[in-house]
Amino acid sequence: MSDDTLLRTIATPADLRRLPRAELPRLAEQLRAFVLQSVSQTGGHLSSNLGTVELTIALHYVFNTPWDRLVWDVGHQTYAHKILTGRREGMRTLRQLGGISGFPRREESEYDSFGTAHSSTSISAALGMARAARLKGEERKAVAVIGDGAMTAGMAFEALNNAGVAHGGDNADLLVVLNDNDMSISPPVGALNKYLARLLSGRFYAAAREGAKAVLKNTPLFEIARRLEEHAKGMLVPSTIFEEFGFQYVGPIDGHDLDALIPTLENLRDRKGPQFLHVVTKKGYGYKLAEADPVNYHGPGKFDPAIGLVKPATPPKPSFTQVFGQWLCDMGQADERLVAITPAMREGSGLVEFEQRFPQRYFDVGIAEQHALTFAAGMACEGLKPVVAIYSTFLQRGYDQLVHDVALQDLPVVFALDRAGIVGADGPTHAGAFDIAFVRCLPNCSMLVPSDENECRQALTTAFRHDHPVAVRYPRGSGIGAAIDPGLVEWPWGKGVLRRRGKGIAILAFGTVLNPALAAAEKLDASVADMRFAKPLDEALVLEMAGSHEAIVTVEEGCIAGGAGSAVGECLAAAGLARPLLHLGLPDRFIEHGDPARLLAQCGLDAPGIEQAIRQRFVPRRTPLSAVGA
């Protein structure tokens, strides 16, 4: 076990701020070792957190947190932050049911100023906090830490644009820290850049700069001096774009060098108005295996740090994501009109092989879901068949574009919605609870809900061959291990399938809940229909079930309000059929992080839960419901 004696003396950032500066590198070493050991035992995000150890220490050392507000973008880089803010022991419960979250949460700690897990929100939130401090007359700083990937989103630039504008003659005291961990926009880091960063952030430079502006203002020399300064700095640092937004740019500096970080942050802390600090870090820093392969170590499960990630002896069942990736390649081979679009989720959405085989038809647009959808719409206008591979929760971010740019124009775009339903350890920010409801209400849009891996492939084929907007939802992870037909088989449009004929009760299952529904039906001798389509609903099948059964039960791994069950109720009402109706789905609350199977059981969506809900609802009724088992 590595030495953590210094780390154990830190219960809060106030303890950290009492340490001599000379002790901080040793603390960083112990903190990094603790992060590695913790994640290896629980699973979680690793590469990003190893890369922010020194930056986290420096921010809490310089700023008076939690009085000064610290907002982390995305939030998967906050493990060191959690450890330094009183949650060291809680790391053993990370992302587990009843344990601490893998992302910042306001209800978890006063040091989590803003809940984050989706990208590119930090600058907007921190700016709001900075403006609020001014209105309240409070002297506090607001700091946003954002990655270079998150800077690709339009929302980040909207916030930068707003932050650089004075409000009531006053500028917000906001510091944006760009954590550049890809070196994609950075020159090499060296002694000159470190010196320049300290110089540009210092009071002497700031005072001299403002004094020169005052002297030269309203003279022909002012514009010449401004351009000279801009071009001189531009030769050394990529500052121009941020300074055009009204920020004072500093950097880039080495994000692992505490001797560079701390004095630079101290200088910026004491300056007024919007500041921008560019730091360069390395994903997986300090753990050679993660440095060499930051993608695979981005979110690993449990592993032995001394050995690293090891492939399982028995190959796991193909995940739904892998089924999608293989289908995409097969359909791409069959139809050259297919183009694949992802908002920065190549690995997560299963697009690696497609990119390798069809690079000219693969488009990663960055963390920009709104752009992804309208970009797809533009391609569809020109006769191509775009497939947008996007997590269910991230489609919410492009909803306006789904409505106005795709649905309103009735364009043939396929949405492959990964992570539909409960996602497990990533928790409520990543759960795909609402897609059936928000797609079903849109004219021209359809929603397919396959029940297993083979149906997923067939549903994708069916969607692709339809000339209107179609979403196909499927969960994270593996299914039941269904044998997969390698062909490109198409379903009859809008038709479900009766899977079990029983008596008394008819269970209409939407998606992968079909399998627990079938298990429950065996105990109840109920009928079960695999509905396959949430929209268009197979109304003939619904009415046939209603006409031959005494009660209807709908089951879906999505929100009940406005979901597939609601569609069944609307169908029965339109037909003037009154039948006892029970809707089973996700409850009207955000589902916490934890093991997916346990979460489904808590929501009553496993086989025992479905059986119990049906018995509680219908067995005590006077209606005989003769099919309900004893």
mmCIF file with all atom_site columns, all heavy atoms in Angstrom, residues 310-319 322 453 477-481:
data_model
loop_
_atom_site.group_PDB
_atom_site.id
_atom_site.type_symbol
_atom_site.label_atom_id
_atom_site.label_alt_id
_atom_site.label_comp_id
_atom_site.label_asym_id
_atom_site.label_entity_id
_atom_site.label_seq_id
_atom_site.pdbx_PDB_ins_code
_atom_site.Cartn_x
_atom_site.Cartn_y
_atom_site.Cartn_z
_atom_site.occupancy
_atom_site.B_iso_or_equiv
_atom_site.pdbx_formal_charge
_atom_site.auth_seq_id
_atom_site.auth_comp_id
_atom_site.auth_asym_id
_atom_site.auth_atom_id
_atom_site.pdbx_PDB_model_num
ATOM 1   N N   . VAL A 1 310 ? -7.200  -6.430  -18.405 1.00 0.00 ? 310 VAL A N   1
ATOM 2   C CA  . VAL A 1 310 ? -6.995  -7.761  -18.971 1.00 0.00 ? 310 VAL A CA  1
ATOM 3   C C   . VAL A 1 310 ? -8.284  -8.198  -19.662 1.00 0.00 ? 310 VAL A C   1
ATOM 4   O O   . VAL A 1 310 ? -9.375  -8.048  -19.100 1.00 0.00 ? 310 VAL A O   1
ATOM 5   C CB  . VAL A 1 310 ? -6.619  -8.780  -17.872 1.00 0.00 ? 310 VAL A CB  1
ATOM 6   C CG1 . VAL A 1 310 ? -6.451  -10.170 -18.480 1.00 0.00 ? 310 VAL A CG1 1
ATOM 7   C CG2 . VAL A 1 310 ? -5.347  -8.348  -17.164 1.00 0.00 ? 310 VAL A CG2 1
ATOM 8   N N   . LYS A 1 311 ? -8.157  -8.744  -20.856 1.00 0.00 ? 311 LYS A N   1
ATOM 9   C CA  . LYS A 1 311 ? -9.339  -9.237  -21.552 1.00 0.00 ? 311 LYS A CA  1
ATOM 10  C C   . LYS A 1 311 ? -9.904  -10.447 -20.815 1.00 0.00 ? 311 LYS A C   1
ATOM 11  O O   . LYS A 1 311 ? -9.146  -11.301 -20.336 1.00 0.00 ? 311 LYS A O   1
ATOM 12  C CB  . LYS A 1 311 ? -8.989  -9.638  -22.995 1.00 0.00 ? 311 LYS A CB  1
ATOM 13  C CG  . LYS A 1 311 ? -8.661  -8.464  -23.894 1.00 0.00 ? 311 LYS A CG  1
ATOM 14  C CD  . LYS A 1 311 ? -8.445  -8.923  -25.327 1.00 0.00 ? 311 LYS A CD  1
ATOM 15  C CE  . LYS A 1 311 ? -8.170  -7.732  -26.247 1.00 0.00 ? 311 LYS A CE  1
ATOM 16  N NZ  . LYS A 1 311 ? -7.950  -8.165  -27.662 1.00 0.00 ? 311 LYS A NZ  1
ATOM 17  N N   . PRO A 1 312 ? -11.221 -10.551 -20.672 1.00 0.00 ? 312 PRO A N   1
ATOM 18  C CA  . PRO A 1 312 ? -11.812 -11.687 -19.963 1.00 0.00 ? 312 PRO A CA  1
ATOM 19  C C   . PRO A 1 312 ? -11.526 -12.994 -20.699 1.00 0.00 ? 312 PRO A C   1
ATOM 20  O O   . PRO A 1 312 ? -11.444 -13.031 -21.934 1.00 0.00 ? 312 PRO A O   1
ATOM 21  C CB  . PRO A 1 312 ? -13.310 -11.366 -19.960 1.00 0.00 ? 312 PRO A CB  1
ATOM 22  C CG  . PRO A 1 312 ? -13.506 -10.413 -21.088 1.00 0.00 ? 312 PRO A CG  1
ATOM 23  C CD  . PRO A 1 312 ? -12.254 -9.611  -21.181 1.00 0.00 ? 312 PRO A CD  1
ATOM 24  N N   . ALA A 1 313 ? -11.360 -14.065 -19.913 1.00 0.00 ? 313 ALA A N   1
ATOM 25  C CA  . ALA A 1 313 ? -11.062 -15.371 -20.508 1.00 0.00 ? 313 ALA A CA  1
ATOM 26  C C   . ALA A 1 313 ? -12.198 -15.832 -21.405 1.00 0.00 ? 313 ALA A C   1
ATOM 27  O O   . ALA A 1 313 ? -11.981 -16.426 -22.466 1.00 0.00 ? 313 ALA A O   1
ATOM 28  C CB  . ALA A 1 313 ? -10.801 -16.391 -19.398 1.00 0.00 ? 313 ALA A CB  1
ATOM 29  N N   . THR A 1 314 ? -13.427 -15.583 -20.963 1.00 0.00 ? 314 THR A N   1
ATOM 30  C CA  . THR A 1 314 ? -14.598 -15.932 -21.769 1.00 0.00 ? 314 THR A CA  1
ATOM 31  C C   . THR A 1 314 ? -15.152 -14.673 -22.417 1.00 0.00 ? 314 THR A C   1
ATOM 32  O O   . THR A 1 314 ? -15.518 -13.732 -21.707 1.00 0.00 ? 314 THR A O   1
ATOM 33  C CB  . THR A 1 314 ? -15.689 -16.566 -20.891 1.00 0.00 ? 314 THR A CB  1
ATOM 34  O OG1 . THR A 1 314 ? -15.159 -17.716 -20.237 1.00 0.00 ? 314 THR A OG1 1
ATOM 35  C CG2 . THR A 1 314 ? -16.887 -16.970 -21.742 1.00 0.00 ? 314 THR A CG2 1
ATOM 36  N N   . PRO A 1 315 ? -15.186 -14.597 -23.723 1.00 0.00 ? 315 PRO A N   1
ATOM 37  C CA  . PRO A 1 315 ? -15.708 -13.384 -24.379 1.00 0.00 ? 315 PRO A CA  1
ATOM 38  C C   . PRO A 1 315 ? -17.135 -13.098 -23.919 1.00 0.00 ? 315 PRO A C   1
ATOM 39  O O   . PRO A 1 315 ? -17.972 -14.006 -23.873 1.00 0.00 ? 315 PRO A O   1
ATOM 40  C CB  . PRO A 1 315 ? -15.665 -13.736 -25.868 1.00 0.00 ? 315 PRO A CB  1
ATOM 41  C CG  . PRO A 1 315 ? -14.651 -14.826 -25.975 1.00 0.00 ? 315 PRO A CG  1
ATOM 42  C CD  . PRO A 1 315 ? -14.758 -15.613 -24.692 1.00 0.00 ? 315 PRO A CD  1
ATOM 43  N N   . PRO A 1 316 ? -17.430 -11.866 -23.554 1.00 0.00 ? 316 PRO A N   1
ATOM 44  C CA  . PRO A 1 316 ? -18.788 -11.533 -23.118 1.00 0.00 ? 316 PRO A CA  1
ATOM 45  C C   . PRO A 1 316 ? -19.771 -11.550 -24.284 1.00 0.00 ? 316 PRO A C   1
ATOM 46  O O   . PRO A 1 316 ? -19.374 -11.527 -25.460 1.00 0.00 ? 316 PRO A O   1
ATOM 47  C CB  . PRO A 1 316 ? -18.634 -10.114 -22.566 1.00 0.00 ? 316 PRO A CB  1
ATOM 48  C CG  . PRO A 1 316 ? -17.465 -9.545  -23.308 1.00 0.00 ? 316 PRO A CG  1
ATOM 49  C CD  . PRO A 1 316 ? -16.538 -10.705 -23.549 1.00 0.00 ? 316 PRO A CD  1
ATOM 50  N N   . LYS A 1 317 ? -21.048 -11.598 -23.946 1.00 0.00 ? 317 LYS A N   1
ATOM 51  C CA  . LYS A 1 317 ? -22.073 -11.496 -24.978 1.00 0.00 ? 317 LYS A CA  1
ATOM 52  C C   . LYS A 1 317 ? -21.948 -10.146 -25.681 1.00 0.00 ? 317 LYS A C   1
ATOM 53  O O   . LYS A 1 317 ? -21.587 -9.155  -25.041 1.00 0.00 ? 317 LYS A O   1
ATOM 54  C CB  . LYS A 1 317 ? -23.460 -11.625 -24.352 1.00 0.00 ? 317 LYS A CB  1
ATOM 55  C CG  . LYS A 1 317 ? -23.764 -12.982 -23.758 1.00 0.00 ? 317 LYS A CG  1
ATOM 56  C CD  . LYS A 1 317 ? -25.163 -13.027 -23.167 1.00 0.00 ? 317 LYS A CD  1
ATOM 57  C CE  . LYS A 1 317 ? -25.309 -12.128 -21.948 1.00 0.00 ? 317 LYS A CE  1
ATOM 58  N NZ  . LYS A 1 317 ? -26.631 -12.281 -21.286 1.00 0.00 ? 317 LYS A NZ  1
ATOM 59  N N   . PRO A 1 318 ? -22.224 -10.094 -26.970 1.00 0.00 ? 318 PRO A N   1
ATOM 60  C CA  . PRO A 1 318 ? -22.157 -8.800  -27.670 1.00 0.00 ? 318 PRO A CA  1
ATOM 61  C C   . PRO A 1 318 ? -23.119 -7.796  -27.029 1.00 0.00 ? 318 PRO A C   1
ATOM 62  O O   . PRO A 1 318 ? -24.255 -8.137  -26.682 1.00 0.00 ? 318 PRO A O   1
ATOM 63  C CB  . PRO A 1 318 ? -22.598 -9.141  -29.094 1.00 0.00 ? 318 PRO A CB  1
ATOM 64  C CG  . PRO A 1 318 ? -22.366 -10.607 -29.233 1.00 0.00 ? 318 PRO A CG  1
ATOM 65  C CD  . PRO A 1 318 ? -22.603 -11.197 -27.876 1.00 0.00 ? 318 PRO A CD  1
ATOM 66  N N   . SER A 1 319 ? -22.652 -6.590  -26.858 1.00 0.00 ? 319 SER A N   1
ATOM 67  C CA  . SER A 1 319 ? -23.510 -5.542  -26.321 1.00 0.00 ? 319 SER A CA  1
ATOM 68  C C   . SER A 1 319 ? -24.390 -4.989  -27.431 1.00 0.00 ? 319 SER A C   1
ATOM 69  O O   . SER A 1 319 ? -24.133 -5.192  -28.625 1.00 0.00 ? 319 SER A O   1
ATOM 70  C CB  . SER A 1 319 ? -22.667 -4.417  -25.729 1.00 0.00 ? 319 SER A CB  1
ATOM 71  O OG  . SER A 1 319 ? -21.967 -3.737  -26.755 1.00 0.00 ? 319 SER A OG  1
ATOM 72  N N   . GLN A 1 322 ? -22.324 -2.932  -29.703 1.00 0.00 ? 322 GLN A N   1
ATOM 73  C CA  . GLN A 1 322 ? -21.578 -3.697  -30.698 1.00 0.00 ? 322 GLN A CA  1
ATOM 74  C C   . GLN A 1 322 ? -22.490 -4.187  -31.820 1.00 0.00 ? 322 GLN A C   1
ATOM 75  O O   . GLN A 1 322 ? -22.087 -4.213  -32.989 1.00 0.00 ? 322 GLN A O   1
ATOM 76  C CB  . GLN A 1 322 ? -20.884 -4.874  -30.015 1.00 0.00 ? 322 GLN A CB  1
ATOM 77  C CG  . GLN A 1 322 ? -19.744 -4.453  -29.108 1.00 0.00 ? 322 GLN A CG  1
ATOM 78  C CD  . GLN A 1 322 ? -19.236 -5.601  -28.251 1.00 0.00 ? 322 GLN A CD  1
ATOM 79  O OE1 . GLN A 1 322 ? -19.999 -6.458  -27.812 1.00 0.00 ? 322 GLN A OE1 1
ATOM 80  N NE2 . GLN A 1 322 ? -17.933 -5.622  -28.012 1.00 0.00 ? 322 GLN A NE2 1
ATOM 81  N N   . GLU A 1 453 ? -31.062 -8.393  -28.920 1.00 0.00 ? 453 GLU A N   1
ATOM 82  C CA  . GLU A 1 453 ? -30.007 -7.996  -29.843 1.00 0.00 ? 453 GLU A CA  1
ATOM 83  C C   . GLU A 1 453 ? -30.406 -8.214  -31.305 1.00 0.00 ? 453 GLU A C   1
ATOM 84  O O   . GLU A 1 453 ? -30.105 -7.376  -32.171 1.00 0.00 ? 453 GLU A O   1
ATOM 85  C CB  . GLU A 1 453 ? -28.723 -8.785  -29.534 1.00 0.00 ? 453 GLU A CB  1
ATOM 86  C CG  . GLU A 1 453 ? -28.191 -8.592  -28.133 1.00 0.00 ? 453 GLU A CG  1
ATOM 87  C CD  . GLU A 1 453 ? -28.720 -9.612  -27.121 1.00 0.00 ? 453 GLU A CD  1
ATOM 88  O OE1 . GLU A 1 453 ? -29.876 -10.079 -27.278 1.00 0.00 ? 453 GLU A OE1 1
ATOM 89  O OE2 . GLU A 1 453 ? -27.986 -9.946  -26.188 1.00 0.00 ? 453 GLU A OE2 1
ATOM 90  N N   . GLY A 1 477 ? -25.076 -2.052  -22.490 1.00 0.00 ? 477 GLY A N   1
ATOM 91  C CA  . GLY A 1 477 ? -24.698 -3.402  -22.103 1.00 0.00 ? 477 GLY A CA  1
ATOM 92  C C   . GLY A 1 477 ? -25.294 -4.467  -22.995 1.00 0.00 ? 477 GLY A C   1
ATOM 93  O O   . GLY A 1 477 ? -25.765 -4.206  -24.108 1.00 0.00 ? 477 GLY A O   1
ATOM 94  N N   . SER A 1 478 ? -25.267 -5.683  -22.484 1.00 0.00 ? 478 SER A N   1
ATOM 95  C CA  . SER A 1 478 ? -25.716 -6.835  -23.250 1.00 0.00 ? 478 SER A CA  1
ATOM 96  C C   . SER A 1 478 ? -27.170 -7.153  -22.963 1.00 0.00 ? 478 SER A C   1
ATOM 97  O O   . SER A 1 478 ? -27.727 -6.732  -21.944 1.00 0.00 ? 478 SER A O   1
ATOM 98  C CB  . SER A 1 478 ? -24.845 -8.056  -22.915 1.00 0.00 ? 478 SER A CB  1
ATOM 99  O OG  . SER A 1 478 ? -23.484 -7.796  -23.183 1.00 0.00 ? 478 SER A OG  1
ATOM 100 N N   . GLY A 1 479 ? -27.760 -7.938  -23.858 1.00 0.00 ? 479 GLY A N   1
ATOM 101 C CA  . GLY A 1 479 ? -29.129 -8.394  -23.682 1.00 0.00 ? 479 GLY A CA  1
ATOM 102 C C   . GLY A 1 479 ? -29.161 -9.842  -23.220 1.00 0.00 ? 479 GLY A C   1
ATOM 103 O O   . GLY A 1 479 ? -28.315 -10.280 -22.434 1.00 0.00 ? 479 GLY A O   1
ATOM 104 N N   . ILE A 1 480 ? -30.087 -10.601 -23.765 1.00 0.00 ? 480 ILE A N   1
ATOM 105 C CA  . ILE A 1 480 ? -30.259 -11.989 -23.337 1.00 0.00 ? 480 ILE A CA  1
ATOM 106 C C   . ILE A 1 480 ? -29.338 -12.943 -24.078 1.00 0.00 ? 480 ILE A C   1
ATOM 107 O O   . ILE A 1 480 ? -29.320 -14.144 -23.813 1.00 0.00 ? 480 ILE A O   1
ATOM 108 C CB  . ILE A 1 480 ? -31.716 -12.437 -23.540 1.00 0.00 ? 480 ILE A CB  1
ATOM 109 C CG1 . ILE A 1 480 ? -32.113 -12.339 -25.024 1.00 0.00 ? 480 ILE A CG1 1
ATOM 110 C CG2 . ILE A 1 480 ? -32.652 -11.599 -22.671 1.00 0.00 ? 480 ILE A CG2 1
ATOM 111 C CD1 . ILE A 1 480 ? -33.483 -12.922 -25.328 1.00 0.00 ? 480 ILE A CD1 1
ATOM 112 N N   . GLY A 1 481 ? -28.538 -12.428 -25.008 1.00 0.00 ? 481 GLY A N   1
ATOM 113 C CA  . GLY A 1 481 ? -27.669 -13.297 -25.799 1.00 0.00 ? 481 GLY A CA  1
ATOM 114 C C   . GLY A 1 481 ? -28.387 -13.932 -26.965 1.00 0.00 ? 481 GLY A C   1
ATOM 115 O O   . GLY A 1 481 ? -28.057 -15.049 -27.380 1.00 0.00 ? 481 GLY A O   1
#
